[in-house]
Amino acid sequence: MDSRYDFREIEKKWRAEWEKNPINKEDDVKPKFYCLDMFPYPSGTGLHVGHWRGYVLSDVVSRYKVLQGYQVLHPMGWDAFGLPAENFAIKNNMHPSIATANNIANVKRQLHEISALYDWDKEVDTTDPNYYKWTQWIFVQMFKHGLAYEKEMPLNWCPSCKCVLANEEATNGTCERCGATVTKKNLRQWMLKITAYADRLLEDLKTLDWSDKVKKMQSDWIGKSYGAEVGFKVVDSDLTINVYTTRPDTLHGCTFMVLAPEYKDVAALTTPECKEAVEKYCFEASTKSSVDRMTDKEKTGAFTGSYCINPVNGKQIPIWVADYVLADYGTGAVMCVPAHDERDFAFAKKFDLPIIQVILPEGEEEKELTEAYTGDGIIINSGDWNGMKAFEAKEKVPHIMEEKGLGKKTVNYKLRDWVFSRQRYWGEPIPIVHCEHCGAVAVPEDQLPVLLPQVESYKPTDTGESPLAHIDEWVNTTCPKCGRPAKRETNTMPQWAGSSWYFLRYVDNHNDKELASMDRLKKWAPVDLYVGGIEHAVLHLLYARFYTKFLYDIGAVPFEEPFQRLFNQGMITKNGGKMSKSLGNVVSPDDLVQNYGCDSLRMYELFVGPPELDCDWDDSGIDGVFRFLNRVWKLVYNNKDLEIAPTKDMEYLRNKLIFDITNRLEALTMNTVVSGFMEYTNKIIDLSKQQGGVDKQTLETLVVLLAPFAPHIAEELWKELGHQESVFDAGWPEADESKMVQDTIEIALQVSGKFRDTMMVAADADKETVLAKAKEVLASRLEGKTVVKEIYVPGKIVNIIAK
RNA sequence: GCGGCUGUGGCGGAACUGGCAGACGCACCAGACUCAAAAUCUGGCGGUAGUGAUACCGUGUGGGUUCGAGUCCCACCAGCCGCACCA
């Protein structure tokens, strides 16, 4: 090799070499480390520099772990079912599997250019029948355990994707995938009872090494609240209305009741005089879009003509219907305390209903309220509850109610069951057969997978019927239970199905007896570090946790939480916008690899900014990293044959380098790792000029530390330094802290808090000596003043307060 | 509306538990090398005043705590993100 840094030659050479002799092999003597990237959807656009950011980060950690002596599992695969492939197929009249295969080939080529440690033997593809066999198997287990069930109800329907959406996919009333406004449609759908796991999904968040942000997003989404259920008897009727409230302390202030328009007893509760108005109101509410219903703050409603009795004071209160009450949260009925709830206050003002204050802020007089008061205070106007502290009463009242048989303590969740079927072609068929006599029957496990049939038209319909429904020879089958004619379920699973458990399959991807063997799972899983974008915080990450907990419960996996540590890398934008084909602002890594090399791009991806924050892409900065690698090349190349003993100063730099790089790498503050490399390399070069060269140990340390980041150049320089084996066999160096102390240190000098000068002192100098020297240095500034106070922070600063 | 994050030169960003703000890099300027250019190397690079050493100002705004604040506390402003009538 010549003295020029020929990255093309070097990278080509080592990529080929590593493919022949992988640097990371399974070796059970070593501890394990499972480092996982969120697997990509193999899109036609390919990968952009934003994808690389996460992949490079996880690869750096993987290589670091190899150097530390771990056996590392760092796999890659394809989340390949889903709408884009299907839409592409419809447009180009080709089968989605072909488009998918093409895209996988292209993305795989790009991934090779990162030179990540991926072990391609472990590859998984969610559209492979050998894979989705187990996606279906899990569904069958859920069905058998009563966690998969059918239900007809109004669902979020995306008119553009032409399929139903899960609640998690329809936040803000828009489709998570395409942004279209979601409408409601009454359909029979398969549901997964994720709510059965609500409490565990919430509680176990505490055990995870995830960012507070994602944990909070999940716990808010699960939305646990504590309160009471209270029964209100309806006047002149056998009916009782149960309400859920988190503020039972305000019960005496309840002056009316509101039901959701969909509440089951609305018709029965409506008097003949009010019938017309209530029916009209309920009809209007049903046609209102879910967005309007969520965002219209202006209150509307209708009086049913009926009254019920407040159980704590016997007062009769009117029953209204209003669409600000949600049918599927709590009981669908709300006790209204206008004095202490903003929504109830607005409603009472609008319809002129009585407002009774029952909580008085401490130290205030009772006066007419201009807005609802929701804080703590003293209870008033509440019979024998008077004088209690409101927030204490909140805890006590449910027990009082329970003793009197008027209600009970209860909890509620915002989380809803998961709408699991989709009316599209390119997904896993739901392995269920509908039989007139036996109902819904699971396809026997030995008949899995239920293969996705070839179909002439993949086109979705507007009716909520799956394209599969038209393939009679596929739909018509026999009931596995009774053998009579039956029909297959024609809906497919959502794209989340395959991604909810893929991390389990990597550890044992060729297993045809089980989704993964217990031994392999125990060896590798759970994932030690999971790297991906934050956009899946309440989607994939919640679903995967749910799946894992279920599989744990049925004894299929030996742990409850799939991802111990989660790292969410920030998005890379271009000119402030998300990179997308339609905006034409996609920056492909391909040209950059061509012009600067993989190593430069890897380091630049990390250098652009703090990895957890979004950042805007700018090509020009890569020059700096490229120049740095050239400097390293030259430094090592020019000094490798010199016989120089390590000097004290160089030993200091070398050990500080190890110390800083290791700490920053552990903290995943990768941008500061790169700047640290530059800083120390500059210092080493300067020192080398002063002392006429660099010792070999320092060069070797630099090269080994650099290996996870710029593996090709490191491997090449390692060879140049005379080693036969790979740099990844070198072991990660440890800093010798005894070498990191200096004889003399620089102290900053302040006069009255203002920085004035610096001075060098012996590192072990005592306070008196330092202060005496400081006053000497600052003599001219202290002239004519009296010293009031002297402060010395050892090793850092002297501050002399003088007047 | 509620909750969270962020705010530092022309730009991306450093600054660990309060202790020399602007590390490192980009861009820019000057010099060396060169017939010339590129590459490379050397130096400069927050603002204002001054020939100058130097002085004063400076981390979104206003206040506070402290010998000392980018860092801690209070109030506010701006931007981004999440949730959004969850009783």
Side-chain angles (χ1 to χ4, degrees):
Chain A
M1 204 49 67
D2 61 81
S3 60
R4 195 169 48 91
Y5 169 43
D6 185 352
F7 63 86
R8 289 198 187 88
E9 237 355 86
I10 293 168
E11 292 182 1
K12 203 170 113 196
K13 171 178 157 191
W14 290 108
R15 200 171 295 148
E17 174 62 25
W18 292 329
E19 255 161 57
K20 261 191 288 169
N21 294 309
I23 55 176
N24 172 42
K25 290 179 224 113
E26 283 203 42
D27 177 355
D28 288 342
V29 178
K30 299 175 173 176
K32 72 96 180 179
F33 191 83
Y34 185 0
C35 183
L36 184 64
D37 294 300
M38 289 184 187
F39 65 165
Y41 175 79
S43 84
T45 324
L47 301 177
H48 54 66
V49 291
H51 294 103
W52 265 55
R53 196 183 195 190
Y55 298 153
V56 167
L57 189 135
S58 64
D59 193 59
V60 164
V61 173
S62 296
R63 288 177 183 270
Y64 167 58
K65 288 292 170 185
V66 168
L67 272 160
Q68 279 190 321
Y70 286 80
Q71 53 171 342
V72 173
L73 176 60
H74 188 36
M76 188 38 92
W78 317 104
D79 187 16
F81 272 130
L83 285 183
E86 188 176 332
N87 290 337
F88 183 83
I90 291 166
K91 217 163 145 193
N92 297 283
N93 203 20
M94 73 199 286
H95 197 270
S97 64
I98 296 173
T100 302
N102 290 344
N103 292 346
I104 286 177
N106 182 44
V107 174
K108 207 166 172 178
R109 173 192 63 78
Q110 289 188 303
L111 286 174
H112 272 105
E113 304 209 328
I114 306 178
S115 280
L117 272 182
Y118 298 131
D119 181 351
W120 290 105
D121 284 348
K122 305 265 172 26
E123 184 176 355
V124 302
D125 172 356
T126 55
T127 65
D128 179 349
N130 293 320
Y131 180 88
Y132 71 69
K133 172 182 177 175
W134 299 105
T135 312
Q136 292 176 337
W137 180 85
I138 296 169
F139 182 87
V140 169
Q141 305 313 308
M142 289 204 182
F143 179 70
K144 285 181 177 169
H145 286 81
L147 292 171
Y149 65 96
E150 280 184 286
K151 191 180 177 187
E152 178 165 334
M153 59 186 236
L155 293 167
N156 298 308
W157 170 264
C158 174
S160 159
C161 296
K162 297 185 198 291
C163 66
V164 298
L165 301 174
N167 281 315
E168 290 79 11
E169 295 170 298
T171 53
N172 296 318
T174 56
C175 172
E176 177 264 341
R177 223 193 61 77
C178 72
T181 300
V182 169
T183 60
K184 290 274 174 190
K185 215 177 176 107
N186 234 331
L187 288 167
R188 174 197 66 91
Q189 293 299 319
W190 282 95
M191 311 284 291
L192 295 187
K193 213 177 213 165
I194 190 171
T195 53
Y197 285 78
D199 222 27
R200 284 162 69 187
L201 288 168
L202 181 68
E203 282 305 306
D204 292 348
L205 279 175
K206 292 180 193 136
T207 68
L208 299 176
D209 185 10
W210 292 16
S211 72
D212 289 341
K213 183 177 172 140
V214 175
K215 286 193 195 182
K216 194 175 178 333
M217 280 169 77
Q218 286 213 356
S219 71
D220 284 354
W221 188 259
I222 295 165
K224 185 176 188 174
S225 69
Y226 299 85
E229 218 169 279
V230 182
F232 285 62
K233 281 204 161 61
V234 178
V235 176
D236 298 328
S237 160
D238 298 334
L239 290 172
T240 294
I241 300 172
N242 285 316
V243 300
Y244 171 72
T245 177
T246 57
R247 291 298 303 275
D249 52 310
T250 64
L251 254 165
H252 285 269
C254 171
T255 53
F256 58 100
M257 162 139 344
V258 174
L259 309 176
E262 299 84 1
Y263 187 80
K264 58 180 178 359
D265 293 327
V266 167
L269 288 163
T270 307
T271 59
E273 307 81 69
C274 299
K275 191 165 185 264
E276 198 181 326
V278 169
E279 277 180 1
K280 183 163 175 272
Y281 182 78
C282 291
F283 175 76
E284 277 167 7
S286 72
T287 56
K288 223 171 174 180
S289 84
S290 49
V291 193
D292 289 347
R293 224 174 124 166
M294 277 193 299
T295 49
D296 280 0
K297 297 285 188 234
E298 181 68 31
K299 294 284 176 285
T300 59
F303 178 45
T304 62
S306 294
Y307 292 83
C308 60
I309 296 167
N310 185 338
V312 293
N313 57 17
K315 279 189 191 156
Q316 291 198 4
I317 57 170
I319 304 171
W320 286 66
V321 175
D323 67 3
Y324 79 91
V325 174
L326 305 173
D328 55 355
Y329 180 77
T331 61
V334 173
M335 63 168 234
C336 295
V337 185
H340 305 293
D341 181 281
E342 284 166 32
R343 298 149 301 180
D344 300 346
F345 187 85
F347 195 84
K349 281 283 173 200
K350 172 103 185 244
F351 295 104
D352 205 19
L353 293 157
I355 297 170
I356 299 173
Q357 188 174 1
V358 292
I359 313 283
L360 195 61
E362 231 156 321
E364 278 187 32
E365 295 289 309
E366 194 175 347
K367 57 171 188 267
E368 198 185 331
L369 291 169
T370 53
E371 58 180 4
Y373 175 71
T374 55
D376 199 1
I378 303 297
I379 294 185
I380 55 167
N381 299 327
S382 299
D384 31 325
W385 297 5
N386 285 349
M388 281 165 82
K389 285 202 157 195
F391 284 6
E392 282 171 24
K394 215 162 77 168
E395 311 297 323
K396 284 184 201 154
V397 168
H399 298 289
I400 298 171
M401 302 300 286
E402 217 161 319
E403 276 165 31
K404 294 185 178 169
L406 298 172
K408 62 177 188 208
K409 197 176 167 187
T410 173
V411 294
N412 247 302
Y413 300 92
K414 288 195 214 176
L415 185 70
R416 305 293 145 80
D417 277 345
W418 179 6
V419 184
F420 196 68
S421 37
R422 297 291 180 276
Q423 298 69 47
R424 297 291 303 230
Y425 171 73
W426 191 232
E428 302 88 345
I430 291 178
I432 290 287
V433 169
H434 296 280
C435 169
E436 272 185 40
H437 305 271
C438 312
V441 180
V443 173
E445 288 169 27
D446 59 9
Q447 287 173 33
L448 296 177
V450 175
L451 290 173
L452 186 58
Q454 291 285 332
V455 59
E456 267 166 42
S457 167
Y458 322 112
K459 278 208 176 92
T461 64
D462 291 308
T463 58
E465 198 176 51
S466 164
L468 292 178
H470 305 292
I471 317 172
D472 291 341
E473 63 275 22
W474 184 78
V475 171
N476 291 317
T477 182
T478 52
C479 172
K481 225 181 205 169
C482 69
R484 282 182 269 210
K487 288 187 188 301
R488 285 191 191 281
E489 169 66 47
T490 58
N491 280 316
T492 53
M493 298 188 194
Q495 192 173 1
W496 314 107
S499 60
S500 291
W501 70 280
Y502 75 110
F503 43 91
L504 303 170
R505 187 64 178 173
Y506 280 133
V507 308
D508 197 10
N509 62 330
H510 299 298
N511 194 329
D512 57 1
K513 304 277 185 302
E514 41 194 346
L515 61 87
S517 79
M518 202 44 105
D519 282 351
R520 298 287 295 172
L521 284 166
K522 278 184 180 154
K523 174 178 170 183
W524 283 113
V527 173
D528 295 287
L529 176 65
Y530 195 29
V531 178
I534 200 164
E535 65 273 15
H536 295 123
V538 287
L539 289 158
H540 161 64
L541 288 169
L542 189 64
Y543 297 150
R545 294 183 62 223
F546 162 52
Y547 262 54
T548 305
K549 286 183 186 304
F550 168 72
L551 292 169
Y552 171 80
D553 287 351
I554 63 167
V557 303
F559 46 83
E560 277 206 65
E561 284 291 340
F563 315 122
Q564 228 346 276
R565 183 178 185 189
L566 173 70
F567 185 83
N568 299 111
Q569 89 273 16
M571 193 175 44
I572 289 189
T573 55
K574 181 66 186 172
N575 303 324
K578 199 173 171 173
M579 286 189 201
S580 79
K581 205 177 178 179
S582 57
L583 290 172
N585 62 351
V586 174
V587 181
S588 163
D590 297 8
D591 289 348
L592 294 164
V593 169
Q594 189 48 234
N595 296 332
Y596 296 92
C598 170
D599 284 341
S600 288
L601 181 55
R602 283 171 65 103
M603 291 197 87
Y604 185 53
E605 290 272 355
L606 302 174
F607 192 50
V608 289
E612 71 281 6
L613 299 183
D614 293 349
C615 82
D616 204 63
W617 185 265
D618 178 6
D619 277 357
S620 68
I622 196 172
D623 285 306
V625 179
F626 183 67
R627 284 174 198 145
F628 160 73
L629 287 178
N630 274 285
R631 281 202 300 279
V632 171
W633 177 267
K634 243 187 272 177
L635 174 70
V636 176
Y637 203 87
N638 293 339
N639 288 279
K640 67 189 166 78
D641 299 322
L642 302 180
E643 300 282 332
I644 292 177
T647 61
K648 201 169 180 207
D649 287 343
M650 197 57 93
E651 274 296 88
Y652 172 79
L653 282 181
R654 192 178 72 84
N655 283 287
K656 280 285 280 182
L657 174 68
I658 298 170
F659 186 81
D660 281 356
I661 297 297
T662 308
N663 286 339
R664 294 174 188 186
L665 180 44
E666 287 284 344
L668 301 181
T669 55
M670 299 297 187
N671 55 326
T672 65
V673 176
V674 179
S675 65
F677 271 123
M678 292 172 170
E679 197 177 337
Y680 282 106
T681 302
N682 291 347
K683 285 180 181 163
I684 289 169
I685 291 171
D686 284 349
L687 184 56
S688 133
K689 280 178 189 159
Q690 282 172 37
Q691 61 180 34
V694 188
D695 61 278
K696 203 158 171 181
Q697 202 185 359
T698 299
L699 298 177
E700 291 191 340
T701 297
L702 179 62
V703 168
V704 174
L705 293 176
L706 202 56
F709 300 87
H712 310 85
I713 190 177
E715 193 75 291
E716 181 69 22
L717 288 173
W718 191 243
K719 198 136 201 254
E720 290 289 336
L721 285 163
H723 297 276
Q724 296 304 311
E725 79 284 15
S726 166
V727 69
F728 291 97
D729 292 327
W732 189 256
E734 258 180 63
D736 179 349
E737 299 205 24
S738 71
K739 301 275 172 60
M740 287 163 49
V741 289
Q742 289 177 303
D743 297 340
T744 55
I745 49 174
E746 197 184 46
I747 300 280
L749 303 178
Q750 294 184 340
V751 176
S752 302
K754 248 188 170 49
F755 169 76
R756 290 301 177 195
D757 211 339
T758 62
M759 66 176 189
M760 300 301 291
V761 295
D764 55 1
D766 61 12
K767 188 177 172 181
E768 281 67 36
T769 319
V770 173
L771 285 175
K773 190 170 177 196
K775 276 185 268 190
E776 218 172 277
V777 174
L778 297 169
S780 63
R781 296 181 186 278
L782 295 172
E783 223 175 76
K785 292 178 176 167
T786 32
V787 172
V788 186
K789 197 173 177 184
E790 294 166 346
I791 291 151
Y792 172 50
V793 182
K796 283 187 178 154
I797 205 161
V798 168
N799 188 5
I800 301 195
I801 318 299
K803 275 185 191 160

